[in-house]
Amino acid sequence: MIDPVLDPVLAAIHRRRVTRAMTDEPVRREQIETILDAVRWAPTAGNRHLQRFVATTDPGTLRVLRMVSPGMIARPTAAIAVCVDHTLVAQYGFPPENHGPWIDVGTATATLLLAAQAVGLGAGPVSSFSKAAVGVVLDLPEGWVAELIVGLGHPAPEQPRAIKPARLTWRDLTHWVPTEG
């Protein structure tokens, strides 16, 4: 196995944590732009890029966003909504039950979380929110639906503990086929 200390990508994956408490320090626009530039390189189904992003650092927008997002525990000073453009999904002929667009949301989010860490920010994904309300708050274009929101900010010195710390190894999460004997 490759030592994560020797590989910067593996080291970044090992360091990355969900940030549950953030300071009031503003996030610089250049940091968000660097993150968004990195996210466009995330893998997508057929290189179609059906996901779209909405970014904000506006305190009023963030305040209302928190009001309609009970899962937003941290008080971020920036946020990026990862959306699916359903107009494009239909144009490409994806049936409604196709999971490709949501897999793309996952790969974009993983890339976003690592990019946030790379620019010195903490990040926390939020999946508990009113999609209809978020659509209004973020003035989403026709056909765009927010599937996940990532709050961004500078990590507070003290972080709340995770609900249940997981100390699973890759072996705990993996089933080999055929079963090794």
Side-chain angles (χ1 to χ4, degrees):
M1 187 166 3
I2 298 171
D3 183 352
V5 174
L6 300 177
D7 182 87
V9 174
L10 292 176
I13 291 168
H14 281 256
R15 277 193 320 271
R16 194 209 54 74
R17 298 288 181 269
V18 170
T19 303
R20 293 178 175 84
M22 299 176 185
T23 70
D24 293 338
E25 183 182 348
V27 171
R28 293 187 329 272
R29 184 177 179 108
E30 308 84 63
Q31 290 173 299
I32 296 172
E33 289 174 356
T34 299
I35 292 167
L36 291 168
D37 188 49
V39 171
R40 73 186 176 96
W41 291 99
T44 62
N47 203 27
R48 290 187 174 99
H49 296 278
L50 303 172
Q51 75 280 6
R52 295 293 185 261
F53 307 96
V54 178
T56 187
T57 58
D58 178 68
T61 301
L62 289 164
R63 187 172 36 259
V64 177
L65 197 57
R66 283 193 311 273
M67 295 168 88
V68 299
S69 305
M72 193 175 284
I73 298 165
R75 299 180 66 84
T77 55
I80 297 174
V82 183
C83 304
V84 170
D85 183 341
H86 288 279
T87 303
L88 281 178
V89 169
Q91 286 175 3
Y92 279 114
F94 281 100
E97 66 276 3
N98 184 291
H99 297 293
W102 289 272
I103 293 168
D104 291 354
V105 167
T107 60
T109 302
T111 303
L112 194 159
L113 294 172
L114 286 168
Q117 177 185 286
V119 299
L121 296 176
V126 178
S127 60
S128 174
F129 57 87
S130 165
K131 288 185 180 188
V134 167
V136 172
V137 172
L138 296 179
D139 192 26
L140 296 181
E142 183 71 30
W144 290 25
V145 176
E147 298 295 340
L148 196 74
I149 301 168
V150 178
L152 299 167
H154 298 274
E158 296 291 321
Q159 291 292 313
R161 299 185 106 200
I163 295 170
K164 182 179 178 185
R167 295 290 175 217
L168 300 173
T169 70
W170 66 266
R171 289 175 182 87
D172 299 321
L173 303 169
T174 307
H175 173 75
W176 284 97
V177 177
T179 304
E180 293 183 347

